[in-house]
Amino acid sequence: MEITEKQKILAELISEGEKDSAVKMLTDWAYETTFKEVIFNVLEPMLVHWGKLWMQGKLSLAHGYLSGKVAEEFYLIASTDETFRTNKSETKGTIILGNIEDDFHPLGRRLVGIYAQAAGWNIIDLGSDIPAEQFIEQAIAHRADIIAISAMMFTTAKNIIKVRQGIEQAGLSEKVKMAVGGAVFKLRPELVGEIGGDGTADTAINAPELFDRLMKMKQK
Ligand code: B12
């Protein structure tokens, strides 16, 4: 991958442990250009690049952790920016979002939330490490249309089966659709069906389209 000048500066700040300066730098760039530009042309390609280096053992866990923290804080700031806020007065529906039990990879989930909200969905983000029972309780409490679950690992993806069982036990199969996503579903697409998912999307940009599709399935 060809590293741009901005990505070089970002990488240096992170390897020096300068978390706050890195977040500030990204935010300044976003105000000079747009949040979308910084997320998709600066930060995400670097996260993928660092992910590959990490898997090859060429990057420390500390670097991986810090880059995650920087991205997380920056996405929180981005989510409050008006480009990601919907102006529509009516929402498309309600989505309960979370990382499944034992999964602590929040970045992808946050991005899915930001994009779905911008597309007009009401998002209730429960956070990381959410047990199946909590997904079901919240879906009932908020009369949700979709439960959207993020899982990065094979071991954690298997915990999603309990959400499918919960949906069935509560008699909600027709009313609540279950979207799943995360690194492990890109590697093993057959897992979507195996754990009872109704559909997936490979990126946050494609997630709103998936939610529209699931909503149509529900209305049939
Ligand atoms: C960063 C990272 C971490 C960071 C997380 C920091 C943070 N604050 O987020 C830290 C260092 C803490 C970490 C820890 C661990 N990690 Co880790 N981690 C990663 C890494 C490099 C990147 C993940 C990421 O944030 N990507 C960037 C985001 C933007 O992309 P994304 O998450 O894929 O999300 C996009 C799509 O998938 C999609 N999406 C995501 N969720 C959803 C949900 C729905 C409904 C939809 C529609 C779409 C969707 O949209 C998103 C945006 O476009 C991946 C490598 C990889 N290939 O993913 C490993 C990886 C996921 N981790 C892995 C492992 C093994 C671990 C640890 C067990 C390591 C350890 N020994 O401690 C722990 C476990 C923690 C836990 N219990 O969850 C493995 C999982 C292997 C597997 N398949 O089972 C991976 C694949 C690396 C590897 N090959 O070894 N990790």
Side-chain angles (χ1 to χ4, degrees):
M1 164 183 158
E2 206 174 304
I3 311 271
T4 65
E5 203 48 45
K6 281 183 177 167
Q7 288 168 331
K8 228 161 132 187
I9 297 172
L10 177 66
E12 273 164 24
L13 286 173
I14 288 177
S15 36
E16 285 161 14
E18 297 283 346
K19 175 172 75 65
D20 294 347
S21 307
V23 175
K24 184 174 181 308
M25 188 96 265
L26 289 167
T27 311
D28 288 348
W29 288 334
Y31 285 125
E32 278 164 24
T33 57
T34 60
F35 275 92
K36 273 189 186 159
E37 157 72 23
V38 176
I39 289 176
F40 291 107
N41 293 334
V42 182
L43 186 55
E44 263 218 53
M46 278 314 263
L47 289 174
V48 173
H49 175 66
W50 286 327
K52 282 185 190 147
L53 289 182
W54 190 49
M55 280 184 253
Q56 292 161 6
K58 291 180 185 162
L59 206 69
S60 68
L61 186 64
H63 192 292
Y65 182 77
L66 204 68
S67 58
K69 278 280 156 215
V70 167
E72 222 177 297
E73 286 188 22
F74 179 64
Y75 290 157
L76 265 186
I77 298 170
S79 67
T80 63
D81 186 72
E82 63 184 31
T83 38
F84 289 109
R85 233 182 284 141
T86 175
N87 295 320
K88 300 174 192 86
S89 51
E90 269 181 41
T91 65
K92 287 186 169 186
T94 295
I95 299 178
I96 305 292
L97 178 67
N99 280 72
I100 194 64
E101 185 171 8
D102 292 336
D103 204 291
F104 294 88
H105 291 91
L107 304 179
R109 183 195 85 234
R110 285 243 160 88
L111 270 186
V112 169
I114 290 173
Y115 271 81
Q117 188 171 311
W121 292 88
N122 174 31
I123 298 292
I124 295 164
D125 190 342
L126 304 180
S128 291
D129 186 25
I130 304 301
E133 302 75 44
Q134 206 176 327
F135 276 107
I136 305 299
E137 275 164 27
Q138 291 296 315
I140 294 171
H142 294 279
R143 295 171 175 267
D145 303 287
I146 294 170
I147 295 179
I149 311 176
S150 190
M152 286 310 120
M153 309 194 289
F154 182 61
T155 46
T156 59
K158 285 196 291 191
N159 291 335
I160 299 177
I161 295 172
K162 290 188 255 172
V163 182
R164 166 52 68 205
Q165 287 166 348
I167 290 175
E168 276 166 21
Q169 275 159 17
L172 291 172
S173 310
E174 297 299 315
K175 289 192 180 141
V176 182
K177 293 294 155 194
M178 187 169 90
V180 296
V184 68
F185 296 103
K186 293 190 213 173
L187 293 170
R188 306 173 66 154
E190 70 283 1
L191 204 58
V192 178
E194 284 169 22
I195 50 99
D198 290 314
T200 189
D202 58 348
T203 68
I205 305 176
N206 294 331
E209 199 186 303
L210 165 71
F211 299 145
D212 289 346
R213 218 166 51 232
L214 293 181
M215 198 65 177
K216 281 197 193 119
M217 267 169 75
K218 195 179 114 95
Q219 280 156 1
K220 262 187 199 160

